[in-house]
């Protein structure tokens, strides 16, 4: 614990001397969550990155999130504390595969989930996150949409917008894909008063038995404002830690065995410290990719 206190003090000093801010995703390990200046879901963190006044952003999350911060704040130094913190879903689609999908559906606008590489965003019309995907697709005046890379989020959007035809790609998140409907139902049977809240990266079978389908911060807000005392939460464990910490009178139960994103869990407080101290690992992207991906991301941010 003392070791954490020393590191936190050193981090505070470095933040001041380097004019830096620490942004962290809700799935980070607790020691990193507690050291962050701002903790949130992908949309909240994108907005913070776009409006940050500091010269340096340390992004405790995975690579696509730090890339998004760089694209939205090109004049800043954006640091990812661990080079090996990637997102397997983001790596599932290649530029060639997306171009092929576009060629099969000419004229259909491309909506890309932010859990994607900058080069994929650069091939897209607009980005979305788990919290605004339905609204972003609804706002596009087109009957056919190409949606990549998450098939589960895409099929959720399709269900909400039956008047549109959504062409999906077969990407998925290995953490959410493993959550099974039977285990959620078993937890509900064991906790009949609990609300079942799930992330839209879970399978359609799991979404079908949920009370609410929400982004990570959407789940947090729901739990804060709902009178229910118990919640069965189908997402990564880091969010459940934050929910329990910020809602001490309420109970948060994982939907089955706790789900861990090993990529999100790579970053330690020591990595955040080293990142600030050694100014590593700096995100650098090709100018044309930044320009084109920036258009798709800003279209999302401006959307609302
Ligand atoms: P949120 O935007 O809901 O925080 O989700 C990000 C993510 O990576 C989910 O797996
Ligand atoms: Fe990617 Fe899934 Fe981890 Fe989110 S939880 S960063 S989608 S692998």
């Amino acid at each position: 614990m003392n070791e954490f206190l020393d590191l936190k003090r050193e981090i505070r000093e470095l933040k001041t001397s380097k004019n830096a801010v620490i942004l962290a995703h809700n799935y980070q390990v607790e020691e990193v969550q507690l050291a962050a200046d701002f903790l949130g879901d992908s949309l909240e963190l994108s907005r913070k990155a776009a409006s940050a006044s500091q010269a340096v952003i340390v992004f405790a999350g995975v690579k696509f999130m730090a890339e998004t911060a760089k694209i939205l704040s090109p004049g800043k130094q954006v640091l990812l504390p661990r080079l090996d913190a990637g997102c397997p879903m983001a790596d599932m689609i290649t530029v060639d595969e997306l171009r092929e999908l576009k060629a099969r559906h000419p004229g259909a606008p491309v909506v890309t989930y932010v859990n994607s590489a900058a080069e994929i965003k650069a091939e897209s019309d607009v980005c979305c996150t788990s919290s605004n995907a339905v609204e972003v697709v609804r706002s596009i005046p087109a009957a056919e949409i190409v949606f990549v890379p998450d098939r589960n989020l895409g099929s959720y959007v399709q269900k909400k917008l039956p008047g549109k035809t959504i062409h999906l790609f077969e990407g998925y998140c290995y953490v959410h894909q493993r959550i099974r409907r039977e285990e959620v139902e078993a937890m509900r049977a064991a906790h009949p008063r609990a609300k079942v809240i799930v992330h839209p990266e879970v399978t359609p079978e799991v979404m079908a038995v949920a009370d609410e389908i929400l982004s990570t911060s959407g789940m947090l807000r729901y739990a804060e404002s709902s009178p229910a005392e118990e919640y069965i939460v189908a997402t990564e464990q880091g969010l459940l830690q934050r929910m329990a910490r910020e809602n001490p009178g309420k109970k948060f139960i994982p939907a089955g065995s706790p789900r861990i994103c090993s990529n999100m869990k790579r970053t330690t407080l020591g990595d955040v410290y080293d990142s600030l101290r050694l100014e590593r690992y700096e995100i650098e992207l090709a100018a044309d990719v930044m320009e084109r991906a920036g258009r798709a991301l800003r279209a999302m941010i401006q959307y609302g």
Side-chain angles (χ1 to χ4, degrees):
M1 195 44 131
N2 282 342
E3 181 200 332
F4 282 165
L5 288 179
D6 287 349
L7 266 182
K8 278 175 101 168
R9 196 190 54 242
E10 305 258 5
I11 287 172
R12 265 200 308 277
E13 285 170 12
L14 277 171
K15 270 194 320 187
T16 308
S17 65
K18 302 216 172 195
N19 188 19
V21 64
I22 300 174
L23 305 184
H25 187 264
N26 289 324
Y27 293 162
Q28 289 292 288
V29 294
E30 198 153 41
E31 82 219 31
V32 172
Q33 292 191 14
L34 292 170
D37 296 296
F38 187 81
L39 190 56
D41 69 5
S42 304
L43 185 61
E44 292 171 329
L45 293 169
S46 302
R47 290 217 169 98
K48 278 280 165 197
S51 64
S53 58
Q54 292 83 352
V56 179
I57 297 174
V58 177
F59 209 115
V62 289
K63 189 171 167 220
F64 76 80
M65 296 179 172
E67 284 184 349
T68 298
K70 179 69 186 175
I71 295 164
L72 290 170
S73 265
K76 296 191 195 305
Q77 184 182 39
V78 177
L79 305 172
L80 177 69
R82 288 287 296 232
L83 263 189
D84 55 358
C87 166
M89 169 157 57
D91 296 336
M92 280 179 190
I93 185 164
T94 64
V95 169
D96 283 349
E97 284 169 324
L98 177 52
R99 286 186 181 154
E100 204 182 293
L101 197 53
K102 284 162 74 167
R104 267 194 274 138
H105 306 288
V110 177
V111 179
T112 293
Y113 188 29
V114 285
N115 295 37
S116 53
E119 290 75 12
I120 299 295
K121 293 182 176 81
E123 290 284 322
S124 314
D125 293 286
V126 57
C127 291
C128 72
T129 73
S130 62
S131 66
N132 63 13
V134 175
E135 286 70 26
V136 166
V137 175
R138 197 198 313 269
S139 74
I140 299 173
E144 291 194 30
I145 303 281
V146 168
F147 189 98
V148 297
D150 185 6
R151 65 181 180 210
N152 291 332
L153 179 63
S155 56
Y156 169 63
V157 174
Q158 176 68 87
K159 195 144 193 273
K160 289 279 183 187
L161 304 173
K164 291 190 190 275
T165 302
I166 303 190
H167 302 290
L168 299 174
F169 182 78
E170 283 298 301
Y172 62 89
C173 162
Y174 74 99
V175 181
H176 291 87
Q177 185 70 26
R178 285 181 189 155
I179 301 174
R180 289 177 300 109
R181 179 180 175 141
E182 304 80 69
E183 58 184 342
V184 178
E185 286 178 327
M187 293 311 280
R188 200 198 266 286
H191 305 275
R193 295 213 312 246
K195 291 284 182 195
V196 174
I197 53 179
V198 311
H199 194 275
E201 287 176 13
V202 299
T203 62
E205 295 73 37
V206 171
M207 284 190 240
V209 296
D211 292 311
E212 298 291 336
I213 300 166
L214 297 161
S215 77
T216 57
S217 290
M219 290 180 178
L220 188 72
R221 284 190 291 273
Y222 176 78
E224 277 163 5
S225 61
S226 159
E229 284 170 8
E230 289 186 355
Y231 300 83
I232 294 163
V233 187
T235 197
E236 211 272 350
Q237 190 62 12
L239 180 72
L240 280 86
Q241 286 173 321
R242 180 175 179 194
M243 288 173 127
R245 194 172 65 238
E246 296 183 9
N247 297 276
K250 297 186 175 183
K251 194 168 170 192
F252 299 95
I253 307 152
S257 48
R259 302 294 159 178
I260 305 291
C261 173
S262 54
N263 304 70
M264 280 283 184
K265 295 292 187 260
R266 291 223 160 92
T267 309
T268 63
L269 199 58
D271 292 325
V272 173
Y273 169 65
D274 284 342
S275 178
L276 266 169
R277 188 169 63 94
L278 304 169
E279 298 181 18
R280 73 182 192 194
Y281 295 94
E282 185 163 1
I283 299 290
E284 284 174 291
L285 293 163
D288 75 303
V289 170
M290 295 255 282
E291 218 278 302
R292 291 183 294 127
R295 260 185 264 147
L297 276 167
R298 280 190 296 275
M300 171 185 85
I301 296 276
Q302 278 155 16
Y303 163 78

